[in-house]
PDB file of all heavy atoms in Angstrom:
ATOM      1  N   TRP A1490      -7.942 -15.182 -23.411  1.00 73.00           N
ATOM      2  CA  TRP A1490      -8.928 -14.310 -23.803  1.00 73.00           C
ATOM      3  C   TRP A1490      -8.410 -13.582 -24.977  1.00 73.00           C
ATOM      4  O   TRP A1490      -7.292 -13.138 -25.180  1.00 73.00           O
ATOM      5  CB  TRP A1490      -9.288 -13.331 -22.709  1.00 73.00           C
ATOM      6  CG  TRP A1490      -9.943 -13.938 -21.592  1.00 73.00           C
ATOM      7  CD1 TRP A1490     -11.112 -14.569 -21.488  1.00 73.00           C
ATOM      8  CD2 TRP A1490      -9.500 -13.737 -20.162  1.00 73.00           C
ATOM      9  NE1 TRP A1490     -11.422 -14.904 -20.166  1.00 73.00           N
ATOM     10  CE2 TRP A1490     -10.500 -14.439 -19.362  1.00 73.00           C
ATOM     11  CE3 TRP A1490      -8.401 -13.255 -19.529  1.00 73.00           C
ATOM     12  CZ2 TRP A1490     -10.399 -14.535 -18.064  1.00 73.00           C
ATOM     13  CZ3 TRP A1490      -8.384 -13.294 -18.169  1.00 73.00           C
ATOM     14  CH2 TRP A1490      -9.352 -13.919 -17.459  1.00 73.00           C
ATOM     15  N   LYS A1533      -4.060   9.628  19.972  1.00 98.00           N
ATOM     16  CA  LYS A1533      -3.017   9.657  18.846  1.00 98.00           C
ATOM     17  C   LYS A1533      -3.142   8.366  18.167  1.00 98.00           C
ATOM     18  O   LYS A1533      -2.920   7.256  18.745  1.00 98.00           O
ATOM     19  CB  LYS A1533      -1.627   9.862  19.520  1.00 98.00           C
ATOM     20  CG  LYS A1533      -0.575   9.976  18.401  1.00 98.00           C
ATOM     21  CD  LYS A1533      -0.681  11.361  17.761  1.00 98.00           C
ATOM     22  CE  LYS A1533       0.566  11.628  16.889  1.00 98.00           C
ATOM     23  NZ  LYS A1533       0.444  12.932  16.252  1.00 98.00           N
ATOM     24  N   VAL A1534      -3.478   8.340  16.868  1.00 98.00           N
ATOM     25  CA  VAL A1534      -3.746   7.119  16.026  1.00 98.00           C
ATOM     26  C   VAL A1534      -2.647   7.029  15.123  1.00 98.00           C
ATOM     27  O   VAL A1534      -2.161   8.029  14.521  1.00 98.00           O
ATOM     28  CB  VAL A1534      -5.058   7.259  15.362  1.00 98.00           C
ATOM     29  CG1 VAL A1534      -5.285   6.135  14.356  1.00 98.00           C
ATOM     30  CG2 VAL A1534      -6.266   7.259  16.306  1.00 98.00           C
ATOM     31  N   LEU A1569      -9.902  11.229   5.556  1.00 97.00           N
ATOM     32  CA  LEU A1569     -10.058  11.374   6.976  1.00 97.00           C
ATOM     33  C   LEU A1569     -10.844  12.661   7.159  1.00 97.00           C
ATOM     34  O   LEU A1569     -10.310  13.787   6.927  1.00 97.00           O
ATOM     35  CB  LEU A1569      -8.740  11.403   7.694  1.00 97.00           C
ATOM     36  CG  LEU A1569      -7.908  10.149   7.564  1.00 97.00           C
ATOM     37  CD1 LEU A1569      -6.532  10.344   8.216  1.00 97.00           C
ATOM     38  CD2 LEU A1569      -8.636   8.942   8.153  1.00 97.00           C
ATOM     39  N   ASN A1573     -12.889  14.784  12.673  1.00 97.00           N
ATOM     40  CA  ASN A1573     -12.416  13.690  13.443  1.00 97.00           C
ATOM     41  C   ASN A1573     -10.890  13.580  13.475  1.00 97.00           C
ATOM     42  O   ASN A1573     -10.353  12.880  14.343  1.00 97.00           O
ATOM     43  CB  ASN A1573     -13.007  12.385  12.991  1.00 97.00           C
ATOM     44  CG  ASN A1573     -14.506  12.398  13.065  1.00 97.00           C
ATOM     45  OD1 ASN A1573     -15.093  12.794  11.995  1.00 97.00           O
ATOM     46  ND2 ASN A1573     -15.118  12.074  14.053  1.00 97.00           N
TER      47      ASN A1573
END
Side-chain angles (χ1 to χ4, degrees):
W1490 291 302
K1533 186 71 168 181
V1534 171
L1569 302 175
N1573 300 91

